[in-house]
Amino acid sequence: MISQTLRRWALFAALLPLLFPAAASAEDTSAEVAIAADAAVHLALKVAEDVEATASDSEESKVLAVSQAVVREATDYSFRRWLRTRVWDEEDEARYGMTFDDDWEVTAAANPKLPLVVLVHGYNSNPLKNAAVMEPVRKAGYPCATFAYPNDWEINESAARLSQRLKEIAAEHPGQRLAIVTHSMGGLVARACLESAELDPGNVDRLVMIAPPTHGTMLAHVAVATDVWEHWIGRSEGGGWTRWRDSVIDGLGEAADDMVPGSPFLTELNARPRNPKVRYAIFLGTSAKVTDGEVKWMRTALQETGGRCPGFRDCTGRVDSLLADMEELVEGKGDGVVALKRGRLDGVDDVVILPFGHLNCTGVCDCEAVEQLQSELLTRLK
């Protein structure tokens, strides 16, 4: 029989991510806690079933089976969707979608030849974080809007939501043409929409992508750290339940999986032809902070000492291969998140390379590179 200790550890491993509601703040309701508890029971029972199935195996096989069960649940999109639907409500729906400038129709009527410019944010972000890049666009007289989406869902799901909003604009304002400006993963969301015969709304003429991870980013391998920062370290408001719930609503790593170089999503998306009705432009940055020499030093140190570190010996080669290909972090080769070689897109010749960093390129215009980016952006919207 499988040991009682092993069974307890399996159940604890399954329940641990869902224990935060137990310490919910006063703002949390008993119904919400009940939903989280229901989710915990579901996952715990699934893991327990897998553990029970290994009762006749060796102790080592039992431990392996438990680990595999947890990993299967953690990577199963169907379970993630199920969990999200259990906590999703109307208020969450209201957080996402298209938001228009108050006077956009007046502005559009005054400048009928100009497109409505829609900003689409990236991973672990929102329109507010990218707001500065739209300031010169508004000053130039363009009508503007922003599109917000759960930033860590499957990218195809986010693309479908974008498509729905763009089709609504086409139905309500049939003569209005659009230009989409994206940052980072927002470029993948927009392309998944515009390069799909089913999702393409037909009213978009221009797509300007700033720092798009066209062929992914090596940092997607460690994206869980950004989720921990977003909801647990980098924020101070909200109790345990609120933070856990927000992390579920935003997504549980689906987008990060899609952005791993060579992922099924990227392979399928990049095999599609460009939309012939859309004019593309790409802006890529080179202001990463690590030099080639520093990367070589890290690799040398890893090779010389990694083999002597308990628990690290077997993965030294894997880490070295990641460092060897992580041009995202290398000055002159990437912007800190996206490498030049992974940002380019077949069929797009309008590529502008500037010395900006991934996180400041859509921020306040406080350097020459961002000023030039904004100027080049306006040129491509005309």
Side-chain angles (χ1 to χ4, degrees):
M1 291 293 292
I2 189 168
S3 70
Q4 186 65 20
T5 299
L6 185 56
R7 178 189 294 276
R8 288 172 180 170
W9 274 110
L11 290 173
F12 178 75
L15 287 166
L16 184 58
L18 305 172
L19 288 178
F20 295 109
S25 62
E27 67 193 69
D28 305 327
T29 67
S30 59
E32 290 172 330
V33 174
I35 290 173
D38 185 31
V41 170
H42 173 86
L43 181 55
L45 288 176
K46 288 284 289 181
V47 174
E49 288 173 2
D50 286 344
V51 171
E52 194 66 40
T54 67
S56 61
D57 297 334
S58 68
E59 195 69 16
E60 180 178 345
S61 298
K62 297 169 188 174
V63 174
L64 179 60
V66 173
S67 302
Q68 290 174 333
V70 174
V71 170
R72 279 201 304 272
E73 290 294 349
T75 58
D76 182 4
Y77 283 5
S78 64
F79 174 76
R80 301 185 204 186
R81 293 192 195 99
W82 174 88
L83 180 58
R84 188 163 62 231
T85 60
R86 298 307 301 267
V87 297
W88 185 274
D89 60 28
E90 293 181 1
E91 291 185 3
D92 296 311
E93 190 64 45
R95 292 162 56 186
Y96 304 112
M98 196 75 70
T99 300
F100 299 88
D101 285 4
D102 292 338
D103 59 348
W104 85 270
E105 289 181 278
V106 174
T107 303
N111 303 277
K113 293 184 179 180
L114 299 183
L116 170 64
V117 181
V118 178
L119 173 68
V120 182
H121 65 82
Y123 179 74
N124 273 1
S125 188
N126 56 59
L128 183 60
K129 292 181 180 179
N130 301 147
V133 78
M134 297 292 282
E135 291 180 5
V137 177
R138 291 187 174 92
K139 289 180 181 178
Y142 287 85
C144 296
T146 60
F147 175 71
Y149 61 97
N151 60 56
D152 202 8
W153 283 16
E154 287 179 72
I155 294 177
N156 280 328
E157 289 188 61
S158 298
R161 294 176 72 89
L162 175 61
S163 172
Q164 179 182 349
R165 300 300 183 269
L166 296 180
K167 287 179 179 179
E168 289 172 358
I169 295 175
E172 296 170 8
H173 307 277
Q176 182 65 57
R177 305 306 298 174
L178 278 70
I180 297 180
V181 175
T182 70
H183 177 240
S184 193
M185 189 182 74
L188 301 180
V189 174
R191 284 184 52 219
C193 169
L194 300 179
E195 294 176 355
S196 163
E198 179 183 356
L199 299 181
D200 179 20
N203 56 351
V204 177
D205 295 328
R206 302 159 202 181
L207 173 59
V208 181
M209 296 178 284
I210 302 171
T214 304
H215 299 281
T217 169
M218 296 297 282
L219 297 186
H221 289 287
V222 293
V224 65
T226 63
D227 284 331
V228 171
W229 175 268
E230 181 183 19
H231 295 294
W232 297 99
I233 300 176
R235 62 181 282 185
S236 58
E237 76 284 358
W241 159 258
T242 301
R243 298 187 189 202
W244 174 82
R245 186 180 181 282
D246 285 349
S247 67
V248 172
I249 294 302
D250 277 347
L252 293 171
E254 297 96 322
D257 292 346
D258 285 343
M259 287 193 292
V260 170
S263 71
F265 166 78
L266 289 174
T267 300
E268 192 276 331
L269 177 64
N270 291 326
R272 299 177 188 177
R274 309 288 76 79
N275 188 323
K277 299 178 181 179
V278 176
R279 190 169 74 225
Y280 293 72
I282 295 175
F283 293 81
L284 298 174
T286 60
S287 190
K289 301 302 182 182
V290 180
T291 67
D292 264 325
E294 289 169 332
V295 172
K296 291 178 181 178
W297 178 88
M298 286 188 286
R299 294 182 64 193
T300 299
L302 175 70
Q303 293 165 2
E304 292 179 351
T305 65
R308 298 195 298 268
C309 297
F312 192 64
R313 187 178 300 109
D314 294 337
C315 61
T316 299
R318 170 65 173 164
V319 175
D320 181 67
S321 64
L322 289 175
L323 287 174
D325 195 29
M326 200 169 285
E327 293 188 3
E328 287 84 350
L329 303 180
V330 180
E331 183 179 11
K333 296 182 178 181
D335 64 12
V337 174
V338 175
L340 291 179
K341 68 179 183 180
R342 279 188 268 271
R344 300 178 185 275
L345 177 62
D346 288 344
V348 178
D349 297 323
D350 187 5
V351 179
V352 180
I353 299 176
L354 296 169
F356 62 70
H358 194 83
L359 299 181
N360 78 323
C361 58
T362 57
V364 177
C365 185
D366 58 359
C367 66
E368 185 178 347
V370 175
E371 181 180 356
Q372 188 175 352
L373 183 153
Q374 293 181 355
S375 175
E376 297 282 355
L377 170 61
L378 285 175
T379 299
R380 281 154 182 78
L381 291 177
K382 293 178 182 179

